[in-house]
Amino acid sequence: MSYDREKQVAMEAAILAAKLCQQVRQDIPEAIEKQDKSPVTVADYGSQAIICKALAETFPNDPVVGEEDATELRKPEMADTLNKMLGYVQNIIPDATADQVTDWIDRGNGSVSPRYWTLDPIDGTKGFLRQDQYAVALALIEDGDIKVGVLACPAMPVEGSEPGMLYVAVRGEGAQMKPLAGGELQPIHVVSPDDTENLRFVESVEAAHGDQSRQNAMAQAVGITAASVRVDSQAKYGIVASGKAALYLRLPSPKYPDYRENIWDHAAGAIVVEEAGGKVTDMYGKPLNFAEGQKMIDNRGVVVSNGVLHEKIIAVLNN
Ligand SMILES: Nc1ncnc2c1ncn2[C@@H]1O[C@H](COP(=O)(O)OS(=O)(=O)O)[C@@H](OP(=O)(O)O)[C@H]1O
Ligand SMILES: [Mg+2]
Ligand SMILES: [Mg+2]
Ligand SMILES: [Mg+2]
């Protein structure tokens, strides 16, 4: 089966959502605190609205498992925030109404099903707020297998152009990237073992999202001597997929040993790396499970590599 239509619609939606995020960020957004104390902004909500609307129009029967929902936004005390968000959405969809926008956001409350999309409207909200890296991440999953993944990284540096890169992959068709500013999709590949210049590793900026001291020790154990490059969001997957780093380590934080990873924090990035020739598993070498629910309850941590390094890193992690 061909996924041309899914790829096209997902790319177009992610590009529009990325545009909204860039506009919000120019205006220095405020963080709103969610119930779990993590931040959300009008850009997270607006991005989810735009992407869910596009998916509803083309694939009305596909559920979407998205990070955000509109419950808080519908409260009367949130009217100013809702209005501000609506203004940004109207820059892209001029006739959108407040009721439509909250309904679109809530289309992201779907469940993991035989075929579903998973959406992180802004991955790395903390990076977004600090003017660092972030990503709009969208993936299609069928029978637990990721089929299509799109990662829009509006702050990714691009040689000779303004920042912003789009990464995309379809199962069995390879991975590609193109600048968000325009241009043709180009195939991408993970770093080869003899490319010592790019034999570096990436990890989260937020220390609480991993175990930085162990991550550094493990990278050294497989021969990576350079200090890590700290990057927010699934932009890390784009960096590994395009051969700018050989490894991304995300080991469970000693502060939050019971944390389980969300499907939307990994699905889009994982297929981009796999289709670029790399490998993605949990810290025990187990495949990530996208068939159970929004949390990957059977997995611990995430290990992303150029493939060649994978067996070695899983071995040092488990000896
Ligand atoms: N304790 C813990 N362990 C692992 N992961 C966690 C943890 N807490 C939060 N999160 C999730 O981290 C997502 C941000 O991704 P990164 O860690 O790659 O970026 S960052 O450096 O933290 O900005 C972030 O995604 P967003 O909420 O979309 O920004 C969270 O889902
Ligand atoms: Mg979040
Ligand atoms: Mg996320
Ligand atoms: Mg998010």
Side-chain angles (χ1 to χ4, degrees), residues 1 3 6 10 55 59 61-66 111-120 137-150 169 171 234 262-271 274 288-294 296:
M1 153 162 193
Y3 292 95
E6 284 83 351
L55 293 178
F59 306 109
N61 299 322
D62 288 355
V64 183
V65 182
S111 304
V112 168
S113 308
R115 172 177 155 122
Y116 72 95
W117 297 83
T118 190
L119 168 64
D120 196 336
L138 176 63
L140 173 70
I141 288 115
E142 283 184 358
D143 301 320
D145 188 34
I146 316 162
K147 298 298 188 190
V148 179
V150 173
R171 183 67 73 205
Q234 285 172 73
N262 299 305
I263 51 176
W264 54 73
D265 282 328
H266 297 283
I271 187 173
E274 287 170 351
L288 300 183
N289 187 345
F290 294 99
E292 285 293 318
Q294 70 175 58
M296 298 191 283

Side-chain angles (χ1 to χ4, degrees), residues 40-171:
V40 63
T41 71
V42 291
D44 299 63
Y45 288 125
S47 169
Q48 180 152 327
I50 284 172
I51 291 175
C52 286
K53 173 189 188 274
L55 293 178
E57 279 171 354
T58 324
F59 306 109
N61 299 322
D62 288 355
V64 183
V65 182
E67 180 182 354
E68 310 304 343
D69 83 83
T71 310
E72 290 298 310
L73 274 180
R74 292 179 198 272
K75 293 185 175 165
E77 64 269 28
M78 294 292 277
D80 284 353
T81 304
L82 176 58
N83 251 323
K84 198 183 270 179
M85 194 260 296
L86 178 62
Y88 286 110
V89 173
Q90 285 172 337
N91 289 340
I92 290 168
I93 307 166
D95 55 358
T97 66
D99 283 346
Q100 282 177 322
V101 169
T102 45
D103 285 349
W104 293 334
I105 292 169
D106 279 340
R107 271 197 55 87
N109 288 331
S111 304
V112 168
S113 308
R115 172 177 155 122
Y116 72 95
W117 297 83
T118 190
L119 168 64
D120 196 336
I122 291 188
D123 183 37
T125 304
K126 289 181 178 169
F128 177 74
L129 286 162
R130 290 191 232 101
Q131 303 284 323
D132 283 338
Q133 291 300 320
Y134 65 101
V136 176
L138 176 63
L140 173 70
I141 288 115
E142 283 184 358
D143 301 320
D145 188 34
I146 316 162
K147 298 298 188 190
V148 179
V150 173
L151 271 187
C153 301
M156 185 65 76
V158 178
E159 237 183 81
S161 171
E162 59 190 89
M165 193 61 92
L166 183 84
Y167 304 87
V168 58
V170 173
R171 183 67 73 205

